Amino acid sequence: MTSIKKTKIAVLPGDGIGPEVTEQAKKVMNAVAERFDCYFEYCYADVGAVAIDHFNDPLPDITLEACLNAEAILFGAIGDPKYDNDPKAKVRPEQGLLRLRKELGLYANIRPVASYEKLLHLSPLREDRVKGVDLVIYRELTGGIYFGEKGTSADGKQAFDTCTYQVEEIQRIARLAFEQAMLRRGKLTLVDKANVMETSRLWRQTVKELANDYPKVKLDFMFVDNAAMQLIQNPAQFDVMLTSNMFGDILSDEASVLTGSMGLLPSASIGVHTSMFEPIHGSYPQAAGQDIANPMAAILSAAMLVESLGMTEAATAIRLAVQHILEKGIGTPELQPSVVYGCSQIGDLTAHLVAEPNEEILVREDKLQQKVSTII
Ligand code: IPM
Ligand code: MG
């Protein structure tokens, strides 16, 4: 009897629509297990507002432990409106996510953004501008102004946040970005504010030096204000974008709406310990429990997850299943599809197409097997 490989996955559904979209991603992972002869063992844990409700802590110790013991983390969403407009709140759901990133050393946040032919009309940009967009943002995730010294004066009249970076912090994410550029179109754009900020000048210098190790990559530099504009004016020019924590936070939200289908965008956070995979959309509390949320971003995050485990064929199978569904005009309401499906129906259909791909998908799988490039 052959033993089936077992992989431990920590599942952190979180808040709002997090649980329902994560459930669909899990269905698809189970379909992967069925077709590719492996086994995922899931360990559920609370994070965010739901963890505050249960433990008065957005990242309880048992959750962190579950993550450290797992080989990958499937994350839903975090955030609850009851904390958003209360600047005095002592505990916030977001603190759970920030601490998790720091504790696991997840220094690189990777967000691919690609347009889907069938959905070009949903973009806020003209179709000719968004056509062919295929970029990936490498955002530094455990340093910079998010984690620098911060405080408020005793009289409450002054506050400060500091941005600090060390050469090593820049080098380790920059290497990942260079390597990714080599697997893609060979272009890397460092986005910074080197005309004003000292930390940005350190980024430029460090990345320039590293470029000597990657002669095949064409490196260029762009100030962040210009990059924000270029993303709207000519987003197809970008291949890999590399940037610091705060700039990356802002630019990745901007990039996420370019294709008009934020509900389709996955992300990976990788670094020292267990990697984490999550849809880039938030907790969207207004839609929670209504079975209307788009689970495709969570499902495509599962594709990145299995890819990180070396299962590239499974990742391709998931991506092709999603693409197939979109091409057939099927989707959740916000995509204005010809055939409206609920969150859970999309999960069922994707899982079905992964476990038992139809002829059309099999032909594409065959073609792609020859030229698979991994994103992480
Ligand atoms: C993100 C989010 C987080 C961030 C929040 C929830 C703390 O916006 O993952 O981009 O700012 O990093
Ligand atoms: Mg953000």
Side-chain angles (χ1 to χ4, degrees), residues 101 111 139 146 248-250 252-253 280:
R101 288 172 180 169
R111 297 191 183 190
R139 165 191 174 193
Y146 269 61
D249 179 46
I250 298 165
S252 54
D253 262 27
I280 68 130

Side-chain angles (χ1 to χ4, degrees), residues 14-15 47-54 58 78-80 82-83 92-94:
D15 306 323
V47 71
V50 73
I52 299 178
D53 291 345
H54 293 161
I78 211 164
D80 188 303
K82 71 181 174 211
Y83 300 94
R92 295 178 175 283
E94 290 78 6

